[in-house]
Amino acid sequence: MSKYDLVLLLGGTGSRMNIKGNDNKHLTEIKGKKLIQYIKDKVDVYENAVQPFANKYIVTNGKGVEDIMKTFGQEYTYFFQENPTGVPDAAYLPKPKNPFLLHLGDQFYQD
């Protein structure tokens, strides 16, 4: 059993990105896929190659949550941060039970 939790921060509005029609920048499409799908794919690769996380949490602003929940499913526990009070507050909102990997949802990277 894993001794690590996963906390995904998916709550940014993208106000500096000038995104039209989206209230959550993580739903923006890049090369034909939503950003959240790239994140989900990376988590799946890690869990299949290394080990599953003990607990998985998503912190979001609540906007677009239907798309987020459809992508990530019920194996995640969801938390809502109504006011953007910063990464530290968002990271500890779920109160992880174990050491945790924190992933900022707007970090787009390739292997």
Side-chain angles (χ1 to χ4, degrees), residues 14 26 30 34 38 41 49 54 56 61 67 86 98 100:
H26 305 95
I30 300 173
K34 291 181 181 177
Y38 287 101
D41 293 347
K56 296 188 277 189
N61 62 8
D67 285 337
N98 301 298
F100 60 94

Side-chain angles (χ1 to χ4, degrees), residues 1 19 23 29 34 52 59 65 72 77 79 83 89 91 95:
M1 174 116 181
I19 297 172
D23 289 324
E29 283 197 16
K34 291 181 181 177
V59 179
V65 71
F72 288 95
T77 303
F79 292 85
N83 297 313
D89 286 340
K95 299 183 179 31

Side-chain angles (χ1 to χ4, degrees):
M1 174 116 181
S2 177
K3 296 179 182 172
Y4 295 96
D5 292 344
L6 172 65
V7 177
L8 298 177
L9 302 184
L10 304 177
T13 61
S15 60
R16 293 182 298 259
M17 295 172 61
N18 196 25
I19 297 172
K20 297 193 179 5
N22 260 343
D23 289 324
N24 189 318
K25 66 183 168 190
H26 305 95
L27 301 176
T28 301
E29 283 197 16
I30 300 173
K31 294 186 176 183
K33 283 182 10 181
K34 291 181 181 177
L35 183 53
I36 57 173
Q37 188 60 55
Y38 287 101
I39 296 165
K40 174 78 165 81
D41 293 347
K42 291 288 184 186
V43 170
D44 290 348
V45 166
Y46 177 85
E47 288 194 300
N48 289 329
V50 181
Q51 67 180 351
F53 290 101
N55 302 288
K56 296 188 277 189
Y57 307 104
I58 289 177
V59 179
T60 182
N61 62 8
K63 294 181 170 67
V65 71
E66 298 84 13
D67 285 337
I68 293 170
M69 291 178 88
K70 183 178 176 182
T71 300
F72 288 95
Q74 297 301 316
E75 62 188 74
Y76 287 77
T77 303
Y78 297 85
F79 292 85
F80 301 96
Q81 185 183 35
E82 293 183 27
N83 297 313
T85 54
V87 170
D89 286 340
Y92 285 103
L93 187 63
K95 299 183 179 31
K97 297 167 184 55
N98 301 298
F100 60 94
L101 170 67
L102 175 68
H103 188 286
L104 304 177
D106 57 359
Q107 302 297 305
F108 184 82
Y109 60 93
Q110 294 180 334
D111 294 333

